[in-house]
C-alpha cells in the first residue's frame, strides 16, 4: 500500500462557481447558538461514481445546475464575518464556491481497496480558517477525475468531494445540498425546503444538558492520540441474521453501535467507573420534518452511560436494547431544552455565544444516519439518490467529520446495496483501530473493509 505521505491526487486548477441569482446588497446570515457550538468541526462528503459523468466542468451543464442550486443557498457563496457582539455570521456577498479539479493516478476500484483515510482526505478541499477570515470560503467542492489512461473501468470514474465548516451545516444538510444539485442537473423538482423547525425559547433558567456537562468535565490536557479511519460494509444478510436474535424492535443502528462500543470497551485503558457513549441523532426527525431539511445544524447529542461491571457482564444484545431505549426516550422537550441552554449562554455572555465545544468527543461518539421505516427510505434516497444521470448511483459514499478527538467517532449510514446493509465509518485512535480491524466478533460478520490503513498493534 502506498504511503499516505505520497498522495496520489494531483490538483490541476481552481475555479469559482457563482449563484445564478445574485443576492441583494447587505444581506447577512446570522449563525445560531448550535451553529456556534459546532465551530471546531468540519464536514466532508465524497461521492464515488463508476463513470465519468461530465465533460469539462468549465462548459458542462453541471456547472449551470450548480449555479442554480447555489441560488437557494446564498450563505454557501458568502464569507464569514463577525457581528457587533463578536458572533459569527455569513455575509452573503456572492463571492462564490471554489471548485478544484484534480486527477487520481489509479482506478476507482484500486483506490477503494488500497487507499487509506488520510489519502482519501486529499479528495476533499479544505484548509483552516486564515487570519483574514473574510476572504475564506465556508464551502468547497473538489472535482476528482480518475486518470483514464490507467483506469481499468470502461469510461473511467469520478469522485466528488464536498467540504464545509460544521457551522454552515451538519451531515444531513450537506447531503441535502448535494442531492438538490443532482436533481437540478436532471431537471427534477426539489422537495419543499421550508417546514417547521425547532426554535429556542431563550429560557435563561435552562439547565446545562448532561452531554455538555460531561464533555466539559472530562476534558483532558494530555496529548491526544493519532487518529486513523476505516470503513466497514455489512451486508443485509449479516445484519438480518443478527437482528433475529435481538429485541424484535432492534434496528441495525442499535446493533452496530452496541457491537463497536462493547468491543472498544475491551481495549479501553480508562479507569472510569462507567463507559459512556455519545449518541448523535438528527433532531429533525422528532419534529416530523420532511427531507431535505433545515435548519443547517440540527444534530442532537446525548449521553448513555453504563457501569463498567455491567458492560463486562452484558451481551451485545443487552447493550443494543439500552441504545434502543435511550433513543426512544429522546423527545422534543429535550431538544428544545438544549437549544434554550445554548441560547441562554449568549445572554449570560453579554450577547456573545459561549466558546465552541468538542462535540465529537471526548467520549466515543456514534452518529445515526439511519432511520426506521419511511425515515430509512428517505435517508437512503437522500444519499444514494444523488444521481447526475438516471440510474447512475454512487458506488460508495464516504462521510467524515473533521477534528475528532478523544475516544473517536462512528458513523452508521445506509449502504448502496439497500435493505439492511450498513456502512460504518470509524475515526479512532490508531492502536484501537488496528485491534478492531482484527476483532473476531466483527470479522465473523464478514464485513467488507474499504479505505483501511495498514496498522500495527502496539504491544
Amino acid at each position: 500500500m502506498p504511503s499516505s505521505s505520497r498522495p496520489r491526487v494531483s490538483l490541476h486548477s481552481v475555479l469559482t462557481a457563482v449563484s445564478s441569482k445574485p443576492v441583494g446588497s447587505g444581506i447577512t446570515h446570522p449563525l445560531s447558538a448550535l451553529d456556534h457550538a459546532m465551530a471546531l468541526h468540519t464536514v466532508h462528503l465524497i461521492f464515488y461514481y463508476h463513470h465519468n459523468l461530465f465533460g469539462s466542468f468549465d462548459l458542462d451543464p453541471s456547472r449551470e445546475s450548480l449555479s442554480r442550486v447555489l441560488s437557494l443557498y446564498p450563505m454557501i457563496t458568502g464569507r464569514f464575518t463577525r457581528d457587533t457582539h463578536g458572533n459569527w455570521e455569513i455575509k452573503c456577498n456572492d463571492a462564490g464556491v471554489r471548485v478544484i479539479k484534480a486527477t487520481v493516478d489509479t482506478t476507482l476500484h484500486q483506490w477503494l481497496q488500497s487507499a487509506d483515510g488520510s489519502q482519501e482526505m486529499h479528495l476533499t478541499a479544505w484548509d483552516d480558517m486564515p487570519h483574514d477570515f473574510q476572504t475564506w470560503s465556508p464551502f468547497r467542492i473538489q472535482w476528482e477525475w480518475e486518470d483514464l489512461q490507467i483506469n481499468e473501468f470502461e469510461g473511467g470514474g469520478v469522485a466528488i468531494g464536498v467540504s464545509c465548516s460544521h457551522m454552515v451545516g451538519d451531515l444531513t444538510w450537506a447531503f441535502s445540498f448535494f442531492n438538490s444539485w443532482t436533481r437540478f442537473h436532471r431537471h427534477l423538482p426539489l422537495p419543499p425546503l421550508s417546514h417547521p423547525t425547532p426554535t429556542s425559547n431563550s429560557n435563561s433558567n435552562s439547565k446545562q444538558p448532561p452531554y455538555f456537562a460531561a464533555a466539559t468535565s472530562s476534558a483532558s490536557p494530555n496529548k491526544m492520540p493519532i487518529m486513523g479511519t476505516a470503513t466497514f460494509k455489512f451486508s443485509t444478510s449479516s445484519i438480518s441474521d443478527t437482528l433475529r436474535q435481538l429485541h424484535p424492535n432492534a434496528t441495525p443502528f442499535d446493533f452496530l453501535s452496541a457491537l463497536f462500543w462493547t468491543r472498544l470497551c475491551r481495549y479501553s485503558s480508562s479507569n472510569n467507573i462507567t463507559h459512556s457513549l455519545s449518541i448523535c441523532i438528527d433532531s429533525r426527525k422528532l419534529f416530523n420534518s420532511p427531507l431535505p431539511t433545515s435548519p443547517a445544524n440540527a444534530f442532537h447529542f446525548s449521553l448513555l452511560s453504563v457501569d463498567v461491571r455491567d458492560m463486562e457482564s452484558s451481551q451485545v444484545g443487552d447493550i443494543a436494547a439500552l441504545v434502543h431505549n435511550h433513543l426512544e426516550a429522546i423527545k422534543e422537550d429535550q431538544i428544545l431544552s438544549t437549544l434554550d441552554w445554548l441560547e441562554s449562554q449568549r445572554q449570560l455572555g453579554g450577547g456573545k455565544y459561549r466558546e465552541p465545544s468538542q462535540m465529537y468527543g471526548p467520549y466515543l461518539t456514534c452518529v445515526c444516519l439511519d432511520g426506521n421505516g419511511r425515515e430509512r427510505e428517505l435517508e437512503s434516497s437522500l444519499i444514494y439518490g444523488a444521481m447526475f444521470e438516471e440510474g447512475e448511483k454512487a458506488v460508495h459514499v464516504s462521510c467524515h467529520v473533521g477534528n475528532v478527538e478523544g475516544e473517536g467517532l462512528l458513523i452508521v449510514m445506509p449502504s448502496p446495496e439497500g435493505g439492511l446493509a450498513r456502512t460504518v465509518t470509524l475515526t479512532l485512535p490508531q492502536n484501537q483501530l488496528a485491534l478492531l480491524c482484527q476483532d473476531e466478533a466483527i470479522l465473523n460478520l464478514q464485513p467488507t473493509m474499504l479505505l483501511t490503513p495498514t496498522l500495527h498493534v502496539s504491544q
Side-chain angles (χ1 to χ4, degrees):
M1 181 183 300
S3 169
S4 59
S5 64
R6 293 184 289 108
R8 297 172 294 180
V9 180
S10 301
L11 307 183
H12 293 293
S13 62
V14 180
L15 53 88
T16 300
V18 296
S19 170
S20 60
K21 296 180 180 179
V23 181
S25 176
I27 295 178
T28 59
H29 175 77
L31 299 183
S32 70
L34 186 55
D35 295 336
H36 279 78
M38 309 306 299
L40 297 180
H41 302 288
T42 52
V43 168
H44 308 272
L45 305 179
I46 304 172
F47 293 79
Y48 292 91
Y49 296 93
H50 265 315
H51 303 103
N52 288 342
L53 305 174
F54 321 103
S56 169
F57 180 73
D58 306 63
L59 304 175
D60 194 83
S62 57
R63 186 172 185 177
E64 178 185 352
S65 58
L66 176 59
S67 293
R68 290 178 63 200
V69 77
L70 287 175
S71 67
L72 301 178
Y73 297 85
M75 63 283 194
I76 288 180
T77 60
R79 295 296 182 264
F80 280 114
T81 186
R82 297 273 195 180
D83 65 13
T84 56
H85 294 290
N87 295 319
W88 289 113
E89 61 183 12
I90 297 177
K91 183 178 181 181
C92 300
N93 58 3
D94 290 316
V97 168
R98 298 176 189 177
V99 181
I100 300 173
K101 297 171 66 177
T103 56
V104 185
D105 67 354
T106 186
T107 67
L108 174 61
H109 176 76
Q110 290 171 336
W111 175 268
L112 291 175
Q113 296 299 319
S114 64
D116 61 31
S118 62
Q119 289 174 309
E120 189 184 40
M121 289 309 292
H122 289 284
L123 301 184
T124 64
W126 194 254
D127 48 34
D128 293 329
M129 185 179 288
H131 179 71
D132 183 12
F133 54 80
Q134 295 189 35
T135 65
W136 185 66
S137 173
F139 199 91
R140 309 289 178 88
I141 296 177
Q142 185 150 334
W143 199 275
E144 319 273 80
W145 295 96
E146 301 294 339
D147 190 337
L148 296 179
Q149 294 183 17
I150 59 174
N151 193 345
E152 297 180 358
F153 287 79
E154 184 176 345
V158 62
I160 303 174
V162 177
S163 296
C164 67
S165 165
H166 212 314
M167 288 193 293
V168 176
D170 57 31
L171 294 168
T172 300
W173 179 90
F175 278 123
S176 175
F177 165 79
F178 190 83
N179 188 280
S180 296
W181 177 18
T182 64
R183 292 186 68 86
F184 262 121
H185 187 77
R186 289 186 290 149
H187 306 288
L188 296 177
L190 299 184
L193 289 172
S194 61
H195 52 75
T197 55
T199 56
S200 168
N201 295 320
S202 301
N203 183 358
S204 60
N205 295 320
S206 297
K207 295 181 180 180
Q208 185 179 29
Y211 175 80
F212 285 92
T216 302
S217 64
S218 63
S220 172
N222 296 332
K223 183 178 179 181
M224 293 297 175
I226 298 176
M227 309 298 278
T229 66
T231 299
F232 292 74
K233 296 185 108 176
F234 297 90
S235 67
T236 291
S237 59
S238 65
I239 296 295
S240 60
D241 289 346
T242 303
L243 290 184
R244 280 195 288 268
Q245 305 171 33
L246 303 181
H247 188 279
N249 294 324
T251 67
F253 176 80
D254 298 336
F255 164 62
L256 290 170
S257 58
L259 173 66
F260 282 96
W261 186 23
T262 55
R263 303 315 293 174
L264 284 168
C265 286
R266 293 170 59 92
Y267 310 133
S268 173
S269 58
S270 171
N271 294 321
N272 295 334
I273 61 174
T274 60
H275 289 299
S276 295
L277 179 70
S278 168
I279 299 179
C280 174
I281 64 168
D282 185 347
S283 69
R284 300 173 181 93
K285 302 173 187 176
L286 299 182
F287 289 83
N288 300 315
S289 301
L291 298 174
T293 55
S294 63
N297 275 296
F299 276 6
H300 175 73
F301 295 78
S302 60
L303 201 65
L304 171 62
S305 297
V306 178
D307 185 272
V308 169
R309 291 169 297 181
D310 292 339
M311 178 69 80
E312 293 174 349
S313 62
S314 298
Q315 301 296 317
V316 172
D318 301 323
I319 303 302
L322 291 177
V323 171
H324 184 87
N325 293 335
H326 178 84
L327 290 174
E328 288 289 309
I330 298 175
K331 303 300 180 184
E332 293 183 15
D333 59 342
Q334 292 174 268
I335 310 296
L336 295 175
S337 178
T338 297
L339 296 177
D340 287 343
W341 180 79
L342 285 170
E343 188 63 35
S344 71
Q345 302 307 292
R346 179 181 185 179
Q347 299 174 2
L348 296 175
K352 191 175 189 304
Y353 287 117
R354 70 190 295 271
E355 291 301 309
S357 302
Q358 185 70 39
M359 300 298 292
Y360 297 88
Y363 296 111
L364 179 66
T365 304
C366 197
V367 176
C368 179
L369 296 180
D370 182 25
N372 295 312
R374 177 164 170 73
E375 283 180 0
R376 180 182 301 159
E377 296 174 7
L378 287 169
E379 287 172 330
S380 182
S381 175
L382 188 68
I383 299 171
Y384 297 103
M387 298 179 286
F388 288 93
E389 294 181 2
E390 191 64 37
E392 290 289 344
K393 295 196 308 181
V395 295
H396 177 64
V397 177
S398 285
C399 183
H400 300 281
V401 173
N403 194 28
V404 173
E405 295 183 355
E407 296 182 13
L409 171 67
L410 282 73
I411 300 176
V412 180
M413 58 189 287
S415 287
E417 297 84 352
L420 295 176
R422 294 293 178 270
T423 297
V424 179
T425 300
L426 312 171
T427 303
L428 301 170
Q430 284 191 354
N431 190 56
Q432 292 191 16
L433 185 62
L435 292 166
L436 271 190
C437 290
Q438 302 173 25
D439 189 278
E440 184 177 354
I442 294 174
L443 296 182
N444 283 342
L445 296 172
Q446 299 182 322
T448 299
M449 288 191 283
L450 302 176
L451 302 161
T452 304
T454 300
L455 297 169
H456 303 282
V457 179
S458 61
Q459 301 298 322

